[in-house]
Amino acid sequence: VNQGLKWAIAGRSQTKLNKLKEELGILFPGFNLDDLDTIIVDTTQAETIHDLVKDTKVVITTAGPFWKYGSKVVEFCVKYGTDYVDTTGETGWNKEMIMKWNSIAMKTGSKAISLCGHDSIPWDLSYYKLSQLVTEKDNTDHLVKAQFFDESKGGISGGTIDTMLSLTVDQKYKEDKYEFDPYYLSPDGSKKIIHKTKNTSPLTVQPSPRKDGRWTMPFFMAAVNCEVVKRSNALLMNNMDTSDNPPTRKDLEYQEYWVHPTFKEAFGNWFRLVIAATALSNPLSGTPIRKYVLPKPGQGPDDKSMSKGYLLVNAFGESKNGTKVQSSFYFPNDPGYADTARMVVESGLCLALDADKLPIQGGGFFTPAIGMGDALLERLCCTGCKFASRIIEPGHLTSKL
């Protein structure tokens, strides 16, 4: 697997990069450290980024907040024709990058794919496979509703917390305003896609709509996951427009639930989130919590904690013609940390080594599902994930006469 791959590690400190090389040598005794190059780069200093991208096929970055540390990296990757993946959950910043650089990426051939971690590969690929089931059965049919039921356990890194607080409490990043949502921009940037996605996820604790005796609460990343699925749905449905004259709207309803066995657990977790958010938004309580309680950027759960984490996303879809489909996507480790690292690395490897398997050729800004699709899913399943999908109930076929 990954034969002939040449890779390097990049950062601001040569001392820290050398230490990381030593740690890799301990973890992988058979690995020849002489084959691993290091690149000194400070993403706040544009002149250092040339060496990062000029001879590189794919850049993988996890350095956030991306509105602060990622914009120049995207710019240089696009201009050099270098592919790019990251772990951001900052959809507003991603939209800004699309509007600034999509036309250039199309010319240089650079594929820029953000949100390649816990935000939001599990939900994006689940939607993609549900949609695929529907259209394979009837290529005139499409999903009108997608429900996602999340079961998860895991920690959260200091960097993720810092990014979330910078966007919400501190409001250090202001999203640009556009005439229309950039996630509805056609791949070539020439038009506004008409196919919409509406997020109707719950805002309170409630019984599971699957009527299985369990309880649900809002999932704190549902808004981000919906945005990514919105972009994927718009691009997929836009591809179907060639058979419609004129095209008809193919809208999608999105719902996401965080599932718990009992009302007590669901309410308890929801209440703790509300209290934490309230405390952090108040300067009197938020400042000492951030200073003394929360993990700092660079800190996160330990190996033992990560090994006990997991994520299971059970997804259900319904098509316009009544077909009902289901998928299950399992991640065996802490989804926000250990498996996010695996997801973004496999995304980078997918772009570097699986060009002939990718669902779309040429450059531009894509979601994980649209840009990598089944090629990425195959890689994830070969390195620990489990995935299955099926048609639960066939719908009625439309006449093709």
Side-chain angles (χ1 to χ4, degrees):
V1 179
N2 307 327
Q3 291 296 317
L5 178 72
K6 183 173 176 58
W7 59 293
I9 53 177
R12 292 177 293 181
S13 168
Q14 186 65 59
T15 301
K16 291 182 178 180
L17 290 174
N18 291 339
K19 182 180 179 181
L20 177 57
K21 285 183 68 171
E22 293 175 4
E23 293 174 353
L24 290 171
I26 296 172
L27 288 172
F28 307 101
F31 181 70
N32 185 0
L33 294 181
D34 293 334
D35 293 336
L36 180 59
D37 293 332
T38 59
I39 302 172
I40 299 299
V41 59
D42 184 341
T43 59
T44 65
Q45 299 179 20
E47 65 272 13
T48 70
I49 304 178
H50 293 277
D51 290 338
L52 175 69
V53 303
K54 66 181 182 180
D55 297 318
T56 303
K57 171 60 180 172
V58 183
V59 168
I60 301 172
T61 175
T62 61
F66 286 84
W67 63 263
K68 185 176 183 180
Y69 299 115
S71 299
K72 284 295 181 183
V73 180
V74 172
E75 177 184 347
F76 276 75
C77 283
V78 167
K79 289 180 175 178
Y80 274 92
T82 299
D83 291 343
Y84 168 94
V85 296
D86 66 34
T87 56
T88 188
E90 302 158 49
T91 54
W93 171 79
N94 181 228
K95 293 176 182 181
E96 178 189 341
M97 294 298 99
I98 291 174
M99 297 302 287
K100 284 184 176 180
W101 302 115
N102 187 66
S103 61
I104 305 298
M106 291 179 61
K107 294 176 182 178
T108 64
S110 168
K111 284 185 174 66
I113 305 180
S114 288
L115 298 119
C116 289
H118 176 272
D119 320 322
S120 297
I121 280 178
W123 296 268
D124 195 32
L125 284 180
S126 294
Y127 156 78
Y128 179 78
K129 295 302 291 184
L130 293 180
S131 182
Q132 194 176 73
L133 278 177
V134 168
T135 55
E136 284 178 350
K137 180 177 178 293
D138 180 355
N139 62 12
T140 67
D141 201 7
H142 61 92
L143 282 178
V144 295
K145 186 174 185 177
Q147 293 181 308
F148 301 88
F149 297 87
D150 311 334
E151 301 175 42
S152 68
K153 179 181 180 182
I156 188 168
S157 70
T160 298
I161 293 173
D162 184 58
T163 297
M164 294 173 66
L165 292 176
S166 76
L167 295 172
T168 55
V169 177
D170 301 336
Q171 296 185 344
K172 292 181 178 179
Y173 176 75
K174 300 293 185 181
E175 289 189 25
D176 289 339
K177 302 296 182 181
Y178 305 100
E179 292 183 5
F180 63 90
D181 190 334
Y183 277 178
Y184 291 130
L185 185 70
S186 63
D188 62 3
S190 64
K191 65 176 183 178
K192 177 182 176 182
I193 297 174
I194 64 173
H195 314 297
K196 308 298 183 183
T197 295
K198 183 178 181 181
N199 188 354
T200 59
S201 299
L203 300 177
T204 60
V205 175
Q206 62 183 53
S208 170
R210 300 303 302 173
K211 299 180 180 180
D212 53 9
R214 298 190 294 177
W215 285 78
T216 67
M217 61 171 282
F219 188 60
F220 59 93
M221 294 307 296
V224 172
N225 295 331
C226 179
E227 285 288 286
V228 180
V229 169
K230 175 176 76 178
R231 176 66 172 159
S232 291
N233 183 69
L235 294 175
L236 274 183
M237 296 304 102
N238 184 67
N239 289 338
M240 294 178 63
D241 285 347
T242 55
S243 61
D244 291 348
N245 190 19
T248 56
R249 282 183 58 167
K250 304 174 184 68
D251 292 351
L252 176 71
E253 181 182 4
Y254 181 99
Q255 294 179 345
E256 186 174 345
Y257 303 82
W258 192 356
V259 181
H260 295 74
T262 65
F263 168 79
K264 181 180 179 180
E265 290 183 54
F267 181 81
N269 279 337
W270 174 80
F271 186 73
R272 282 188 286 271
L273 282 176
V274 171
I275 293 299
T278 303
L280 286 169
S281 63
N282 186 331
L284 293 178
S285 54
T287 300
I289 290 174
R290 294 168 71 166
K291 187 174 182 179
Y292 299 109
V293 178
L294 296 178
K296 304 298 185 292
Q299 299 177 338
D302 57 27
D303 290 343
K304 184 177 180 180
S305 298
M306 288 191 288
S307 67
K308 295 180 179 179
Y310 68 91
L311 170 67
L312 175 63
V313 178
N314 287 309
F316 297 84
E318 184 173 345
S319 78
K320 179 181 178 182
N321 295 335
T323 296
K324 295 182 179 180
V325 289
Q326 176 188 3
S327 70
S328 295
F329 205 175
Y330 175 71
F331 292 78
N333 298 297
D334 186 310
Y337 216 71
D339 265 341
T340 279
R342 182 168 63 91
M343 282 184 259
V344 74
V345 168
E346 292 300 339
S347 296
L349 292 172
C350 188
L351 292 180
L353 303 177
D354 300 337
D356 59 331
K357 298 181 180 179
L358 300 180
I360 195 164
Q361 302 300 314
F365 282 71
F366 308 105
T367 62
I370 300 301
M372 295 175 284
D374 287 312
L376 176 59
L377 180 59
E378 180 181 354
R379 280 189 164 273
L380 292 176
C381 289
C382 285
T383 54
C385 284
K386 303 292 183 184
F387 181 85
S389 60
R390 66 184 180 119
I391 295 177
I392 304 173
E393 182 180 319
H396 62 274
L397 289 173
T398 57
S399 173
K400 298 182 181 180
L401 296 179

